[in-house]
Amino acid sequence: MGRPDPQTVHCITEAAHALAYVVIVNRRFTDLYEWGRCTTRLSLAAEIQHRLLPDSFTCNAGRFTVAGALEPAADIGGDTFDYTLDRRSLHLSLTDAMGHDVQAALLATMVVGALRNARRAGAGLASQAKDAHRAVARYANQAHLVDSDRSDQVHQAIAEYGGQAMVTGQLLRVALDTGHTAVVNAGHIWPLRLRDGKVEEIALFVDLPFGVTPNPGYRVQSLDLRPGDRLVLLTDGMLEPHGTDFGLRSLIEQTGDWHPRDAVRVFTDAVLQATNHDPRDDATVLCLDWPGP
């Protein structure tokens, strides 16, 4: 059987796009698509975590392409990523809540909710970060009021981390007309940038994670983003199993001309192979291609 003719390919492409729109629009009103997608029942922590993620893990636009992937640990490590557009900017965030299972999912919910709430109110990056910090700190303070005889997950997890719940993260705002990129780095590992075929680490100032007090505030920094760059944000689960990048930089260089959607799957699959399909922490990555305005 030969290849289909161009007209047939065009019709199939149009039908696939139409079906994709139907699924995206209708899945918020029914569980049918979830039943078809999931082969096993999610844990409560996983259910909470998945509801925090964008409806689509990939966005293709004329001025950029962004794609994310998350490979959860068995007990859920509290990672999230998010992106959204307004008239002038692309907003990105990547966060990693300390703790595991439901505790991590609840902390992640606090941070994502606070960031979205502040962003939708028109707040800048510093104000978004401040609101996220306050949400986590308030949550930790309330957990301290729990009676010491109780053994609930919140009390145990906060005790484990020296009395403070915390979440690391990076917030970015990319101006669509110029590519000027502002970033807040709340205790998170540095991002990687692919430029002219070479990967380099972007050394940002590191402020305290959300929830750690006392907190002097968050600095809004500039990130150099040029046409043709690929920016990769990642959580520390991507550095498993021994705190190294297991050749991640080489993978980023080798997949430099791949679509971000395919590249991020290669990155997380590499973590699974390195950990024998049993990662100790969530492995999360967000990839932005910037062809320029």
Side-chain angles (χ1 to χ4, degrees):
M1 183 177 179
R3 292 174 60 86
D5 59 82
Q7 180 61 32
T8 301
V9 171
H10 176 74
C11 291
I12 293 173
T13 302
E14 291 297 311
H17 275 96
L19 178 60
Y21 282 117
V22 169
V23 171
I24 291 171
V25 170
N26 287 313
R27 67 183 178 185
R28 72 187 66 180
F29 306 117
T30 177
D31 286 333
L32 289 175
Y33 301 110
E34 290 296 325
W35 293 341
R37 187 177 69 170
C38 295
T39 57
T40 59
R41 180 176 177 176
L42 296 176
S43 67
L44 174 58
E47 187 72 43
I48 295 171
Q49 185 182 46
H50 279 261
R51 297 288 78 81
L52 298 175
L53 300 174
D55 288 338
S56 175
F57 285 11
T58 303
C59 179
N60 290 297
R63 298 183 179 181
F64 68 88
T65 303
V66 64
L70 186 155
E71 200 62 56
D75 53 359
I76 302 298
D79 286 8
T80 70
F81 64 85
D82 200 12
Y83 67 84
T84 190
L85 281 166
D86 60 27
R87 297 174 192 169
R88 302 179 181 87
S89 305
L90 168 67
H91 299 262
L92 305 167
S93 72
L94 188 77
T95 61
D96 182 2
M98 301 298 102
H100 294 282
D101 205 58
V102 174
Q103 156 67 9
L106 292 177
L107 283 175
T109 301
M110 292 287 179
V111 168
V112 173
L115 291 175
R116 288 174 176 170
N117 181 261
R119 186 185 68 229
R120 290 165 180 169
L125 288 187
S127 295
Q128 293 176 36
K130 185 182 297 184
D131 281 10
H133 164 68
R134 287 173 176 169
V136 178
R138 187 179 303 118
Y139 179 74
N141 289 336
Q142 290 173 348
H144 274 298
L145 298 178
V146 176
D147 187 275
S148 59
D149 291 335
R150 291 180 57 190
S151 58
D152 59 87
Q153 292 171 307
V154 173
H155 187 74
Q156 289 181 359
I158 290 179
E160 177 184 351
Y161 288 98
Q164 289 196 5
M166 60 179 137
V167 180
T168 68
Q170 284 167 351
L171 317 178
L172 285 81
R173 184 185 64 246
V174 183
L176 296 177
D177 56 348
T178 65
H180 175 265
T181 303
V183 57
V184 166
N185 186 31
H188 205 73
I189 61 176
W190 289 335
L192 302 174
R193 178 179 57 210
L194 177 66
R195 175 178 292 170
D196 299 327
K198 298 296 182 183
V199 171
E200 56 185 333
E201 201 170 43
I202 302 175
L204 300 171
F205 293 118
V206 181
D207 293 323
L208 292 176
F210 305 128
V212 175
T213 56
N215 194 314
Y218 296 95
R219 291 168 285 187
V220 178
Q221 308 170 56
S222 292
L223 187 152
D224 182 23
L225 187 64
R226 302 176 188 174
D229 283 354
R230 169 168 287 184
L231 186 65
V232 179
L233 310 180
L234 61 158
T235 62
D236 56 6
M238 290 295 299
L239 305 181
E240 298 293 348
H242 304 299
T244 63
D245 66 13
F246 61 84
L248 177 60
R249 296 191 187 201
S250 295
L251 276 180
I252 294 175
E253 293 175 356
Q254 294 167 17
T255 58
D257 58 347
W258 292 25
H259 192 286
R261 174 189 57 242
D262 301 319
V264 295
R265 292 310 313 172
V266 169
F267 303 157
T268 54
D269 286 347
V271 174
L272 289 179
Q273 293 179 15
T275 59
N276 196 27
H277 290 262
D278 187 21
R280 294 176 297 177
D281 197 2
D282 292 354
T284 306
V285 61
L286 192 60
C287 180
L288 169 66
D289 273 5
W290 179 252

